[in-house]
Amino acid sequence: NGILAEFSTGTISGNIIVNGDGTGVAASGFAGTIEGNEISGCYRGIEGWMHGACPDASIVWNYVHQCGHGIEIITCAALEGNIVESCTNTGISVLGSQGCDVDGNVVRWNEVGIYLDSGLGVGIHGNDIYGSELYNLECYPWTRETPGAPMRGTFDLDATMNWWGTNDPHEIARGIMDCNDDPAIDCCVVFDPWCVAPGCDPTTTEPTSWGTVKAIFR
């Protein structure tokens, strides 16, 4: 690992971390800020296990590129203003959720833009999410991990007011993997309304009614 922070607070900022075999910044039980770092060529750019640190942990204004996984967090943290691009697996992964906010990030040219294994309590707003090889946003099939497990019941994931690389609702829908694609997924992504251009301005959105009925585009 480049930097390891365990059960601590403070700020990790202004570092350049290149070509690490493991993780650029690994934070476990960290209740501080990871800010303004450039991380490239690592298996994971930033990995955060934020148990017990909410809501104080924040990952902001970092540039993470050409990693395997860009930013990966367990449970919760505030992710804001990061640029995560050209990662061979996921751009931003939220593994578990307790009120996680993913706001104002640029997530582009990754295999999967944003990956969620739960989606409960996650809000995704004001981001530019586009150019992904597979999906711009992918929800994990909850019942696949435990075959035969009952569904928790479908819920709407609020991913409104983002820029998805297009103004075409058909194309936006095709870039999202959710309950409309796999009955084992209980996360149903609501993307309407969406921003009309990059540099997403949540006050300028496309007024439509497609988001909650996007299955018709499949």
PDB file of all heavy atoms in Angstrom, residues 107-134:
ATOM      1  N   VAL A 107     -16.986  10.359 -13.465  1.00  0.00           N
ATOM      2  CA  VAL A 107     -16.686   8.923 -13.504  1.00  0.00           C
ATOM      3  C   VAL A 107     -16.802   8.497 -14.964  1.00  0.00           C
ATOM      4  O   VAL A 107     -17.901   8.346 -15.493  1.00  0.00           O
ATOM      5  CB  VAL A 107     -17.656   8.132 -12.613  1.00  0.00           C
ATOM      6  CG1 VAL A 107     -17.256   6.669 -12.536  1.00  0.00           C
ATOM      7  CG2 VAL A 107     -17.721   8.738 -11.209  1.00  0.00           C
ATOM      8  N   ARG A 108     -15.671   8.287 -15.635  1.00  0.00           N
ATOM      9  CA  ARG A 108     -15.723   8.094 -17.078  1.00  0.00           C
ATOM     10  C   ARG A 108     -14.671   7.089 -17.550  1.00  0.00           C
ATOM     11  O   ARG A 108     -13.625   6.921 -16.942  1.00  0.00           O
ATOM     12  CB  ARG A 108     -15.516   9.427 -17.799  1.00  0.00           C
ATOM     13  CG  ARG A 108     -14.174  10.094 -17.506  1.00  0.00           C
ATOM     14  CD  ARG A 108     -14.113  11.513 -18.029  1.00  0.00           C
ATOM     15  NE  ARG A 108     -12.850  12.151 -17.676  1.00  0.00           N
ATOM     16  CZ  ARG A 108     -12.596  13.449 -17.807  1.00  0.00           C
ATOM     17  NH1 ARG A 108     -13.527  14.257 -18.287  1.00  0.00           N
ATOM     18  NH2 ARG A 108     -11.414  13.943 -17.479  1.00  0.00           N
ATOM     19  N   TRP A 109     -15.038   6.394 -18.617  1.00  0.00           N
ATOM     20  CA  TRP A 109     -14.116   5.509 -19.351  1.00  0.00           C
ATOM     21  C   TRP A 109     -13.621   4.335 -18.515  1.00  0.00           C
ATOM     22  O   TRP A 109     -12.527   3.819 -18.727  1.00  0.00           O
ATOM     23  CB  TRP A 109     -12.927   6.302 -19.906  1.00  0.00           C
ATOM     24  CG  TRP A 109     -13.311   7.554 -20.615  1.00  0.00           C
ATOM     25  CD1 TRP A 109     -14.419   7.784 -21.385  1.00  0.00           C
ATOM     26  CD2 TRP A 109     -12.583   8.782 -20.609  1.00  0.00           C
ATOM     27  NE1 TRP A 109     -14.430   9.066 -21.861  1.00  0.00           N
ATOM     28  CE2 TRP A 109     -13.307   9.709 -21.397  1.00  0.00           C
ATOM     29  CE3 TRP A 109     -11.385   9.183 -20.029  1.00  0.00           C
ATOM     30  CZ2 TRP A 109     -12.881  11.013 -21.602  1.00  0.00           C
ATOM     31  CZ3 TRP A 109     -10.954  10.481 -20.231  1.00  0.00           C
ATOM     32  CH2 TRP A 109     -11.684  11.379 -21.016  1.00  0.00           C
ATOM     33  N   ASN A 110     -14.432   3.902 -17.561  1.00  0.00           N
ATOM     34  CA  ASN A 110     -14.108   2.716 -16.775  1.00  0.00           C
ATOM     35  C   ASN A 110     -14.873   1.521 -17.332  1.00  0.00           C
ATOM     36  O   ASN A 110     -15.766   1.668 -18.157  1.00  0.00           O
ATOM     37  CB  ASN A 110     -14.490   2.945 -15.311  1.00  0.00           C
ATOM     38  CG  ASN A 110     -13.859   4.199 -14.734  1.00  0.00           C
ATOM     39  OD1 ASN A 110     -12.667   4.243 -14.479  1.00  0.00           O
ATOM     40  ND2 ASN A 110     -14.658   5.245 -14.540  1.00  0.00           N
ATOM     41  N   GLU A 111     -14.535   0.313 -16.868  1.00  0.00           N
ATOM     42  CA  GLU A 111     -15.328  -0.835 -17.289  1.00  0.00           C
ATOM     43  C   GLU A 111     -16.755  -0.709 -16.753  1.00  0.00           C
ATOM     44  O   GLU A 111     -17.728  -0.833 -17.489  1.00  0.00           O
ATOM     45  CB  GLU A 111     -14.706  -2.147 -16.807  1.00  0.00           C
ATOM     46  CG  GLU A 111     -15.471  -3.373 -17.295  1.00  0.00           C
ATOM     47  CD  GLU A 111     -14.821  -4.665 -16.902  1.00  0.00           C
ATOM     48  OE1 GLU A 111     -14.671  -4.903 -15.685  1.00  0.00           O
ATOM     49  OE2 GLU A 111     -14.473  -5.449 -17.810  1.00  0.00           O
ATOM     50  N   VAL A 112     -16.902  -0.456 -15.463  1.00  0.00           N
ATOM     51  CA  VAL A 112     -18.179  -0.125 -14.837  1.00  0.00           C
ATOM     52  C   VAL A 112     -17.995   1.201 -14.110  1.00  0.00           C
ATOM     53  O   VAL A 112     -17.038   1.365 -13.351  1.00  0.00           O
ATOM     54  CB  VAL A 112     -18.633  -1.217 -13.842  1.00  0.00           C
ATOM     55  CG1 VAL A 112     -19.872  -0.770 -13.081  1.00  0.00           C
ATOM     56  CG2 VAL A 112     -18.893  -2.533 -14.565  1.00  0.00           C
ATOM     57  N   GLY A 113     -18.904   2.132 -14.342  1.00  0.00           N
ATOM     58  CA  GLY A 113     -18.758   3.450 -13.730  1.00  0.00           C
ATOM     59  C   GLY A 113     -18.942   3.415 -12.223  1.00  0.00           C
ATOM     60  O   GLY A 113     -17.999   3.578 -11.457  1.00  0.00           O
ATOM     61  N   ILE A 114     -20.185   3.202 -11.774  1.00  0.00           N
ATOM     62  CA  ILE A 114     -20.501   3.110 -10.349  1.00  0.00           C
ATOM     63  C   ILE A 114     -21.129   1.747 -10.092  1.00  0.00           C
ATOM     64  O   ILE A 114     -22.068   1.346 -10.775  1.00  0.00           O
ATOM     65  CB  ILE A 114     -21.450   4.231  -9.905  1.00  0.00           C
ATOM     66  CG1 ILE A 114     -20.765   5.604 -10.070  1.00  0.00           C
ATOM     67  CG2 ILE A 114     -21.888   4.043  -8.457  1.00  0.00           C
ATOM     68  CD1 ILE A 114     -21.653   6.785  -9.733  1.00  0.00           C
ATOM     69  N   TYR A 115     -20.596   1.039  -9.089  1.00  0.00           N
ATOM     70  CA  TYR A 115     -21.052  -0.307  -8.755  1.00  0.00           C
ATOM     71  C   TYR A 115     -21.575  -0.308  -7.322  1.00  0.00           C
ATOM     72  O   TYR A 115     -20.906   0.172  -6.410  1.00  0.00           O
ATOM     73  CB  TYR A 115     -19.897  -1.298  -8.898  1.00  0.00           C
ATOM     74  CG  TYR A 115     -20.227  -2.707  -8.475  1.00  0.00           C
ATOM     75  CD1 TYR A 115     -20.838  -3.587  -9.352  1.00  0.00           C
ATOM     76  CD2 TYR A 115     -19.921  -3.157  -7.191  1.00  0.00           C
ATOM     77  CE1 TYR A 115     -21.145  -4.882  -8.967  1.00  0.00           C
ATOM     78  CE2 TYR A 115     -20.219  -4.447  -6.800  1.00  0.00           C
ATOM     79  CZ  TYR A 115     -20.831  -5.299  -7.694  1.00  0.00           C
ATOM     80  OH  TYR A 115     -21.136  -6.584  -7.309  1.00  0.00           O
ATOM     81  N   LEU A 116     -22.777  -0.876  -7.132  1.00  0.00           N
ATOM     82  CA  LEU A 116     -23.399  -0.931  -5.812  1.00  0.00           C
ATOM     83  C   LEU A 116     -23.750  -2.369  -5.478  1.00  0.00           C
ATOM     84  O   LEU A 116     -24.368  -3.053  -6.298  1.00  0.00           O
ATOM     85  CB  LEU A 116     -24.678  -0.090  -5.787  1.00  0.00           C
ATOM     86  CG  LEU A 116     -24.591   1.351  -6.292  1.00  0.00           C
ATOM     87  CD1 LEU A 116     -25.986   1.963  -6.349  1.00  0.00           C
ATOM     88  CD2 LEU A 116     -23.686   2.188  -5.395  1.00  0.00           C
ATOM     89  N   ASP A 117     -23.409  -2.822  -4.273  1.00  0.00           N
ATOM     90  CA  ASP A 117     -23.830  -4.162  -3.895  1.00  0.00           C
ATOM     91  C   ASP A 117     -25.076  -4.139  -3.020  1.00  0.00           C
ATOM     92  O   ASP A 117     -25.601  -5.172  -2.651  1.00  0.00           O
ATOM     93  CB  ASP A 117     -22.696  -4.948  -3.205  1.00  0.00           C
ATOM     94  CG  ASP A 117     -22.521  -4.581  -1.744  1.00  0.00           C
ATOM     95  OD1 ASP A 117     -22.947  -3.491  -1.340  1.00  0.00           O
ATOM     96  OD2 ASP A 117     -21.937  -5.395  -0.999  1.00  0.00           O
ATOM     97  N   SER A 118     -25.553  -2.948  -2.683  1.00  0.00           N
ATOM     98  CA  SER A 118     -26.807  -2.833  -1.949  1.00  0.00           C
ATOM     99  C   SER A 118     -27.641  -1.708  -2.548  1.00  0.00           C
ATOM    100  O   SER A 118     -28.681  -1.941  -3.123  1.00  0.00           O
ATOM    101  CB  SER A 118     -26.548  -2.576  -0.456  1.00  0.00           C
ATOM    102  OG  SER A 118     -27.738  -2.227   0.198  1.00  0.00           O
ATOM    103  N   GLY A 119     -27.138  -0.505  -2.434  1.00  0.00           N
ATOM    104  CA  GLY A 119     -27.863   0.652  -2.941  1.00  0.00           C
ATOM    105  C   GLY A 119     -28.776   1.289  -1.925  1.00  0.00           C
ATOM    106  O   GLY A 119     -29.224   2.420  -2.111  1.00  0.00           O
ATOM    107  N   LEU A 120     -29.072   0.603  -0.821  1.00  0.00           N
ATOM    108  CA  LEU A 120     -29.927   1.182   0.203  1.00  0.00           C
ATOM    109  C   LEU A 120     -29.236   2.371   0.855  1.00  0.00           C
ATOM    110  O   LEU A 120     -28.085   2.277   1.292  1.00  0.00           O
ATOM    111  CB  LEU A 120     -30.260   0.136   1.268  1.00  0.00           C
ATOM    112  CG  LEU A 120     -31.238  -0.970   0.849  1.00  0.00           C
ATOM    113  CD1 LEU A 120     -31.275  -2.064   1.905  1.00  0.00           C
ATOM    114  CD2 LEU A 120     -32.632  -0.398   0.631  1.00  0.00           C
ATOM    115  N   GLY A 121     -29.913   3.489   0.894  1.00  0.00           N
ATOM    116  CA  GLY A 121     -29.359   4.674   1.526  1.00  0.00           C
ATOM    117  C   GLY A 121     -28.355   5.433   0.697  1.00  0.00           C
ATOM    118  O   GLY A 121     -27.735   6.371   1.194  1.00  0.00           O
ATOM    119  N   VAL A 122     -28.174   5.053  -0.572  1.00  0.00           N
ATOM    120  CA  VAL A 122     -27.213   5.730  -1.435  1.00  0.00           C
ATOM    121  C   VAL A 122     -27.923   6.791  -2.273  1.00  0.00           C
ATOM    122  O   VAL A 122     -28.994   6.531  -2.842  1.00  0.00           O
ATOM    123  CB  VAL A 122     -26.508   4.722  -2.369  1.00  0.00           C
ATOM    124  CG1 VAL A 122     -25.562   5.441  -3.324  1.00  0.00           C
ATOM    125  CG2 VAL A 122     -25.735   3.693  -1.549  1.00  0.00           C
ATOM    126  N   GLY A 123     -27.333   7.970  -2.353  1.00  0.00           N
ATOM    127  CA  GLY A 123     -27.818   9.018  -3.237  1.00  0.00           C
ATOM    128  C   GLY A 123     -26.742   9.373  -4.237  1.00  0.00           C
ATOM    129  O   GLY A 123     -25.575   9.530  -3.871  1.00  0.00           O
ATOM    130  N   ILE A 124     -27.115   9.468  -5.524  1.00  0.00           N
ATOM    131  CA  ILE A 124     -26.147   9.721  -6.597  1.00  0.00           C
ATOM    132  C   ILE A 124     -26.651  10.914  -7.401  1.00  0.00           C
ATOM    133  O   ILE A 124     -27.626  10.793  -8.142  1.00  0.00           O
ATOM    134  CB  ILE A 124     -26.000   8.475  -7.500  1.00  0.00           C
ATOM    135  CG1 ILE A 124     -25.514   7.275  -6.663  1.00  0.00           C
ATOM    136  CG2 ILE A 124     -25.049   8.740  -8.655  1.00  0.00           C
ATOM    137  CD1 ILE A 124     -25.494   5.969  -7.428  1.00  0.00           C
ATOM    138  N   HIS A 125     -26.008  12.069  -7.247  1.00  0.00           N
ATOM    139  CA  HIS A 125     -26.520  13.298  -7.859  1.00  0.00           C
ATOM    140  C   HIS A 125     -25.381  14.174  -8.378  1.00  0.00           C
ATOM    141  O   HIS A 125     -24.295  14.220  -7.798  1.00  0.00           O
ATOM    142  CB  HIS A 125     -27.327  14.111  -6.849  1.00  0.00           C
ATOM    143  CG  HIS A 125     -28.464  13.380  -6.223  1.00  0.00           C
ATOM    144  ND1 HIS A 125     -29.593  13.003  -6.913  1.00  0.00           N
ATOM    145  CD2 HIS A 125     -28.624  12.923  -4.955  1.00  0.00           C
ATOM    146  CE1 HIS A 125     -30.409  12.366  -6.105  1.00  0.00           C
ATOM    147  NE2 HIS A 125     -29.851  12.294  -4.910  1.00  0.00           N
ATOM    148  N   GLY A 126     -25.664  14.891  -9.455  1.00  0.00           N
ATOM    149  CA  GLY A 126     -24.742  15.908  -9.947  1.00  0.00           C
ATOM    150  C   GLY A 126     -23.447  15.371 -10.505  1.00  0.00           C
ATOM    151  O   GLY A 126     -22.471  16.110 -10.624  1.00  0.00           O
ATOM    152  N   ASN A 127     -23.410  14.084 -10.861  1.00  0.00           N
ATOM    153  CA  ASN A 127     -22.196  13.477 -11.396  1.00  0.00           C
ATOM    154  C   ASN A 127     -22.230  13.430 -12.925  1.00  0.00           C
ATOM    155  O   ASN A 127     -23.301  13.434 -13.539  1.00  0.00           O
ATOM    156  CB  ASN A 127     -22.076  12.037 -10.890  1.00  0.00           C
ATOM    157  CG  ASN A 127     -22.092  11.935  -9.379  1.00  0.00           C
ATOM    158  OD1 ASN A 127     -21.101  12.167  -8.721  1.00  0.00           O
ATOM    159  ND2 ASN A 127     -23.256  11.590  -8.826  1.00  0.00           N
ATOM    160  N   ASP A 128     -21.053  13.366 -13.523  1.00  0.00           N
ATOM    161  CA  ASP A 128     -20.917  13.008 -14.936  1.00  0.00           C
ATOM    162  C   ASP A 128     -20.482  11.544 -14.965  1.00  0.00           C
ATOM    163  O   ASP A 128     -19.379  11.212 -14.518  1.00  0.00           O
ATOM    164  CB  ASP A 128     -19.861  13.860 -15.631  1.00  0.00           C
ATOM    165  CG  ASP A 128     -20.265  15.319 -15.739  1.00  0.00           C
ATOM    166  OD1 ASP A 128     -21.435  15.645 -15.473  1.00  0.00           O
ATOM    167  OD2 ASP A 128     -19.396  16.146 -16.089  1.00  0.00           O
ATOM    168  N   ILE A 129     -21.347  10.665 -15.469  1.00  0.00           N
ATOM    169  CA  ILE A 129     -21.090   9.217 -15.472  1.00  0.00           C
ATOM    170  C   ILE A 129     -21.276   8.738 -16.903  1.00  0.00           C
ATOM    171  O   ILE A 129     -22.402   8.631 -17.387  1.00  0.00           O
ATOM    172  CB  ILE A 129     -22.058   8.465 -14.539  1.00  0.00           C
ATOM    173  CG1 ILE A 129     -22.201   9.187 -13.188  1.00  0.00           C
ATOM    174  CG2 ILE A 129     -21.603   7.022 -14.331  1.00  0.00           C
ATOM    175  CD1 ILE A 129     -23.374   8.694 -12.355  1.00  0.00           C
ATOM    176  N   TYR A 130     -20.180   8.450 -17.592  1.00  0.00           N
ATOM    177  CA  TYR A 130     -20.343   8.126 -19.014  1.00  0.00           C
ATOM    178  C   TYR A 130     -19.131   7.373 -19.544  1.00  0.00           C
ATOM    179  O   TYR A 130     -18.091   7.262 -18.897  1.00  0.00           O
ATOM    180  CB  TYR A 130     -20.569   9.397 -19.827  1.00  0.00           C
ATOM    181  CG  TYR A 130     -19.419  10.386 -19.821  1.00  0.00           C
ATOM    182  CD1 TYR A 130     -18.432  10.333 -20.802  1.00  0.00           C
ATOM    183  CD2 TYR A 130     -19.315  11.370 -18.848  1.00  0.00           C
ATOM    184  CE1 TYR A 130     -17.373  11.243 -20.812  1.00  0.00           C
ATOM    185  CE2 TYR A 130     -18.266  12.276 -18.848  1.00  0.00           C
ATOM    186  CZ  TYR A 130     -17.300  12.205 -19.826  1.00  0.00           C
ATOM    187  OH  TYR A 130     -16.251  13.102 -19.829  1.00  0.00           O
ATOM    188  N   GLY A 131     -19.296   6.838 -20.759  1.00  0.00           N
ATOM    189  CA  GLY A 131     -18.192   6.211 -21.480  1.00  0.00           C
ATOM    190  C   GLY A 131     -17.747   4.881 -20.904  1.00  0.00           C
ATOM    191  O   GLY A 131     -16.637   4.423 -21.193  1.00  0.00           O
ATOM    192  N   SER A 132     -18.593   4.219 -20.112  1.00  0.00           N
ATOM    193  CA  SER A 132     -18.206   2.943 -19.503  1.00  0.00           C
ATOM    194  C   SER A 132     -18.273   1.816 -20.527  1.00  0.00           C
ATOM    195  O   SER A 132     -19.123   1.810 -21.416  1.00  0.00           O
ATOM    196  CB  SER A 132     -19.121   2.617 -18.327  1.00  0.00           C
ATOM    197  OG  SER A 132     -19.105   3.658 -17.366  1.00  0.00           O
ATOM    198  N   GLU A 133     -17.383   0.837 -20.364  1.00  0.00           N
ATOM    199  CA  GLU A 133     -17.343  -0.287 -21.292  1.00  0.00           C
ATOM    200  C   GLU A 133     -18.556  -1.186 -21.140  1.00  0.00           C
ATOM    201  O   GLU A 133     -19.136  -1.648 -22.133  1.00  0.00           O
ATOM    202  CB  GLU A 133     -16.068  -1.096 -21.065  1.00  0.00           C
ATOM    203  CG  GLU A 133     -15.887  -2.246 -22.047  1.00  0.00           C
ATOM    204  CD  GLU A 133     -14.583  -2.994 -21.827  1.00  0.00           C
ATOM    205  OE1 GLU A 133     -13.681  -2.442 -21.150  1.00  0.00           O
ATOM    206  OE2 GLU A 133     -14.471  -4.125 -22.323  1.00  0.00           O
ATOM    207  N   LEU A 134     -18.982  -1.450 -19.910  1.00  0.00           N
ATOM    208  CA  LEU A 134     -20.136  -2.309 -19.670  1.00  0.00           C
ATOM    209  C   LEU A 134     -21.355  -1.493 -19.232  1.00  0.00           C
ATOM    210  O   LEU A 134     -22.331  -1.394 -19.960  1.00  0.00           O
ATOM    211  CB  LEU A 134     -19.807  -3.364 -18.614  1.00  0.00           C
ATOM    212  CG  LEU A 134     -18.757  -4.406 -19.006  1.00  0.00           C
ATOM    213  CD1 LEU A 134     -18.523  -5.378 -17.849  1.00  0.00           C
ATOM    214  CD2 LEU A 134     -19.170  -5.171 -20.261  1.00  0.00           C
TER     215      LEU A 134
END
